[in-house]
C-alpha cells in the first residue's frame, strides 16, 4: 500500500494509476481536480475512485499515547484518538498526537535558549534586536522603549519576517522594564544620539539620567544579566551603568572597540589591499578622540599594514576611522550611525552565547592591565557566557602604549567629572 500525495499528482501526466489499496490524501484528490489529473484505481470504477479517497489509517507509534477524543477547533467534529487527519496540512486542521509531542519538544528546546533584551527601540536598538533574533540563539528578544507602542509595533513587524528570514527567536515589545524578568543579556541603547556639530560628550547630561533610571530597572528585574552598553558617551555611560547596577566589572561592557575596529578595517579595504574581513586590526582606548589603533599589530591577509600602505596614508585612515561617527552624523543631518553599531553590539552578545570568543576590543574596567589608569577603557578581551572572560595582553610598541596610557588618563578625568 502506498500513500499518494500531492507531489505524486503533480508529477502525473493527465492520468495517475494507483493500486486498489493505495491511499489518496484529500489534498492530493483536491490537487488532482485542480490539475485535471484523472485518478484510476486498478479494479475500481474510475469516477468513484476520484470522488472517494480512502482515509488515512490512524497511526499510533511507539510510546506515544493516544489522547482523548478532541473537538476540532474549526468544524466542531470530534476526532478519534491518535487519528491522523487527512487534512493534516490544512489551516485549522486537528493536530495529531505525534506532531503535538514533537512541537512540545521544540518548545522546550526554544525555552532552553537564553533571553536577551534591548533597551531603546530607536535606530540602534531596533536593528540590534533584529540582528539578535536573526541568530536564533535566543528564545526571546524583548525590546523596551518608553514611547507607547513603539517597541511592541517594531517587535511585531520583525516577528512577521521570521519565516522569510528563517529565525525562531520570538521578539516582543514593551514599555516596562519589568519585561526584563528572566533575561540573561541586556543591550542598552536608550538615549539621545548626536546631532551635527555635537561631540559624544555633549550627550553626557541627558543620557546619564536615562542610563541611571534604566540601570535601576536592570538591577531589579535582571539581576544576573550581562549588560552591553551602547549609549554615548560610551566610557562614561558604561561606568555609570556599572555603578548603578552594582554588577561586577565582567558583567558591564561597553560596545565601541568592535565598531571602531570594523570601521578601520572597512576603510583599509577601500585601499584595495584586502577584503574587510581579511583586515586584522584592533581599536583600543576611547570611543572618540583618544582611540588608539596599534598599527604594529595590523595586517591585511596576514601581511603588516605598515608594509602595504604608506605611513601618511595609514595615519589619514586612522584619523578617518576615529571621526567616522561624526562623518555619518554630518551626512545624515539627523541622528547618528546605527547599522554598524547594532551589528557590533549584537555580535558581542552572540559571541558570549556561542562561547570561545575570539579576541575583540571592548570597554572594560582596566584593573591595572597595560599599566594604565584603572578606568573604563577599550582593551583587547575574550568574552564568555558571563561577560568578560579575560583581558588579553598584546605586545604594544612604546608609542602605542603611551597613547593608551594617555587615553586612560583622559577618560578617568571625564568619569571623575560625572560626579
Ligand atoms: N527607556 C527606554 N527607552 C528610552 C528611554 C528610557 N528611559 N529614554 C529614551 N528611550 C528611547 C527613545 O524613546 C528612543 O526610541 O531610546 C531611543 C533612542 O533612539 P534614537 O533616538 O533613534 O537613537 P539611536 O540612534 O538609536 O542612538 C541611541 O546609541 O549609538 C548611541 O549615540 C547613540 O546614545 C545614542 C544611542
Amino acid at each position: 500500500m502506498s500513500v499518494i500525495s500531492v507531489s505524486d499528482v503533480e508529477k502525473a501526466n493527465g492520468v495517475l494509476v494507483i493500486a486498489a489499496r493505495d491511499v489518496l490524501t484529500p489534498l492530493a484528490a483536491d490537487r488532482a481536480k485542480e490539475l485535471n489529473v484523472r485518478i484510476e484505481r486498478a479494479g475500481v470504477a474510475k469516477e468513484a475512485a476520484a470522488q472517494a479517497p480512502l482515509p488515512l489509517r490512524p497511526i499510533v507509534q511507539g510510546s506515544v499515547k493516544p489522547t482523548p477524543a478532541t473537538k476540532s477547533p474549526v468544524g466542531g467534529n470530534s476526532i478519534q484518538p491518535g487519528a491522523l487527519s487527512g487534512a493534516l496540512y490544512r489551516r485549522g486542521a486537528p493536530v495529531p498526537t505525534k506532531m503535538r509531542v514533537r512541537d512540545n519538544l521544540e518548545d522546550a528546546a526554544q525555552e532552553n535558549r537564553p533571553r536577551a533584551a534591548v533597551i531603546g527601540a530607536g535606530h540602534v536598538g531596533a536593528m540590534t534586536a533584529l540582528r539578535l533574533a536573526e541568530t536564533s540563539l535566543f528564545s526571546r528578544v524583548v525590546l523596551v522603549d518608553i514611547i507607547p507602542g513603539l517597541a511592541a509595533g517594531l517587535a511585531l513587524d520583525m516577528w512577521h519576517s521570521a519565516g522569510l528570514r528563517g529565525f525562531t527567536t520570538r521578539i516582543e515589545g514593551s514599555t516596562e522594564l519589568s519585561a526584563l524578568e528572566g533575561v540573561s543579556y541586556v543591550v542598552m541603547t536608550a538615549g539621545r544620539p548626536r546631532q551635527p556639530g555635537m561631540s559624544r560628550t555633549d550627550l553626557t547630561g541627558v543620557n546619564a539620567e536615562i542610563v541611571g533610571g534604566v540601570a535601576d530597572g536592570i538591577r531589579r528585574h535582571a539581576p544576573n544579566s550581562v549588560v552591553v552598553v551602547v549609549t554615548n558617551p560610551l566610557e562614561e555611560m558604561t561606568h555609570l551603568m556599572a555603578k548603578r547596577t552594582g554588577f561586577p566589572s565582567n558583567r558591564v561592557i561597553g560596545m565601541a572597540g568592535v565598531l571602531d575596529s570594523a570601521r578601520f578595517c572597512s576603510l583599509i579595504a577601500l585601499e584595495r589591499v584586502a577584503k574587510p574581513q581579511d583586515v586584522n586590526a584592533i581599536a583600543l582606548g576611547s570611543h572618540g578622540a583618544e582611540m588608539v589603533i596599534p598599527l604594529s599589530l595590523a595586517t591585511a591577509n596576514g601581511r603588516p599594514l605598515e608594509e602595504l600602505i604608506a605611513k601618511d596614508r595609514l595615519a589619514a585612515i586612522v584619523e578617518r576611522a576615529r571621526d567616522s561617527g561624526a562623518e555619518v552624523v554630518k551626512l545624515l543631518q539627523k541622528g547618528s550611525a546605527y547599522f554598524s553599531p547594532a551589528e557590533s553590539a549584537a555580535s558581542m552578545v552572540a559571541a558570549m552565547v556561542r562561547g570561545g570568543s575570539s579576541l575583540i576590543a571592548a570597554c572594560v574596567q582596566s584593573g591595572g592591565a597595560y599599566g594604565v589608569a584603572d578606568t573604563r577603557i577599550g582593551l583587547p578581551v575574550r568574552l564568555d557566557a558571563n561577560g568578560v572572560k579575560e583581558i588579553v595582553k598584546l605586545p604594544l610598541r612604546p608609542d602605542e602604549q603611551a597613547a593608551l596610557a594617555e587615553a586612560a588618563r583622559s577618560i578617568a578625568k571625564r568619569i571623575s567629572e560625572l560626579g
Side-chain angles (χ1 to χ4, degrees):
M1 181 199 85
S2 305
V3 175
I4 308 301
S5 65
V6 169
S7 67
D8 297 316
V9 171
E10 287 172 345
K11 279 184 229 147
N13 199 4
V15 181
L16 180 62
V17 181
I18 62 176
R21 291 185 55 76
D22 282 353
V23 175
L24 180 69
T25 68
L27 278 187
D30 288 350
R31 192 75 181 127
K33 276 186 200 150
E34 282 166 19
L35 299 177
N36 270 335
V37 172
R38 205 172 65 241
I39 307 292
E40 288 189 11
R41 198 179 287 277
V44 179
K46 290 173 193 172
E47 299 259 306
Q51 295 300 319
L54 284 177
L56 286 168
R57 297 275 156 258
I59 300 171
V60 182
Q61 287 185 353
S63 61
V64 177
K65 291 202 174 78
T67 53
T70 323
K71 277 280 184 194
S72 157
V74 278
N77 297 322
S78 86
I79 58 166
Q80 290 309 304
L84 270 183
S85 162
L88 191 58
Y89 299 108
R90 284 182 176 149
R91 189 184 296 272
V95 181
T97 308
K98 191 165 185 295
M99 186 174 279
R100 271 202 301 270
V101 171
R102 204 193 60 217
D103 282 352
N104 288 343
L105 290 176
E106 283 170 0
D107 285 350
Q110 163 99 352
E111 285 310 316
N112 280 337
R113 291 178 285 173
R115 293 185 183 195
V118 180
I119 316 298
H123 288 94
V124 180
M127 186 57 66
T128 303
L130 183 60
R131 287 286 183 257
L132 288 174
E134 284 171 347
T135 66
S136 289
L137 287 170
F138 307 91
S139 60
R140 250 158 240 271
V141 168
V142 183
L143 188 56
V144 180
D145 200 287
I146 44 167
I147 298 175
L150 179 66
L154 289 172
L156 181 61
D157 187 16
M158 290 179 207
W159 176 245
H160 288 160
S161 74
L164 298 169
R165 189 75 185 163
F167 63 83
T168 55
T169 299
R170 292 293 311 277
I171 315 178
E172 291 168 350
S174 178
T175 51
E176 303 297 326
L177 288 169
S178 56
L180 298 185
E181 295 293 342
V183 159
S184 303
Y185 300 94
V186 180
V187 182
M188 172 60 182
T189 77
R192 292 270 281 277
R194 281 194 280 174
Q195 303 301 333
M198 286 174 90
S199 78
R200 293 186 179 98
T201 314
D202 292 334
L203 300 168
T204 305
V206 61
N207 283 352
E209 206 163 305
I210 294 171
V211 169
V214 170
D216 292 345
I218 294 174
R219 188 184 64 232
R220 194 170 314 125
H221 300 291
N224 299 314
S225 59
V226 178
V227 184
V228 173
V229 179
V230 180
T231 307
N232 279 310
L234 200 268
E235 292 81 25
E236 290 93 313
M237 294 306 112
T238 305
H239 175 82
L240 195 59
M241 178 65 77
K243 286 287 161 207
R244 283 286 281 263
T245 54
F247 287 3
S249 308
N250 65 303
R251 290 206 277 122
V252 181
I253 312 164
M255 186 293 294
V258 173
L259 172 61
D260 290 332
S261 308
R263 282 175 168 163
F264 177 73
C265 294
S266 69
L267 294 174
I268 289 291
L270 295 180
E271 302 296 301
R272 297 172 181 269
V273 290
K275 288 185 266 185
Q277 59 269 42
D278 295 327
V279 181
N280 204 336
I282 193 159
L284 310 176
S286 81
H287 187 40
E290 306 94 0
M291 190 186 84
V292 179
I293 297 185
L295 292 174
S296 63
L297 304 173
T299 59
N301 284 324
R303 293 184 58 197
L305 277 190
E306 289 179 320
E307 287 176 12
L308 294 170
I309 300 173
K311 199 173 172 191
D312 289 358
R313 183 77 195 131
L314 257 185
I317 297 169
V318 170
E319 206 50 40
R320 189 175 177 196
R322 189 177 286 131
D323 292 339
S324 282
E327 190 179 348
V328 173
V329 168
K330 197 170 167 202
L331 289 165
L332 291 176
Q333 295 292 308
K334 195 169 183 293
S336 55
Y338 57 100
F339 286 106
S340 52
E343 185 67 44
S344 304
S347 73
M348 284 173 72
V349 179
M352 290 183 228
V353 176
R354 290 194 176 107
S357 110
S358 51
L359 194 72
I360 63 157
C363 176
V364 296
Q365 186 74 31
S366 63
Y370 284 84
V372 301
D374 188 12
T375 189
R376 311 270 161 188
I377 182 169
L379 293 177
V381 298
R382 284 186 211 285
L383 303 175
D384 67 10
N386 300 314
V388 180
K389 184 180 171 203
E390 58 178 342
I391 295 174
V392 178
K393 185 86 175 86
L394 298 176
L396 301 184
R397 267 193 317 231
D399 59 314
E400 295 162 349
Q401 170 65 37
L404 194 62
E406 180 52 36
R409 272 192 294 276
S410 300
I411 296 167
K413 183 166 177 290
R414 283 201 296 274
I415 287 178
S416 73
E417 286 164 4
L418 265 180

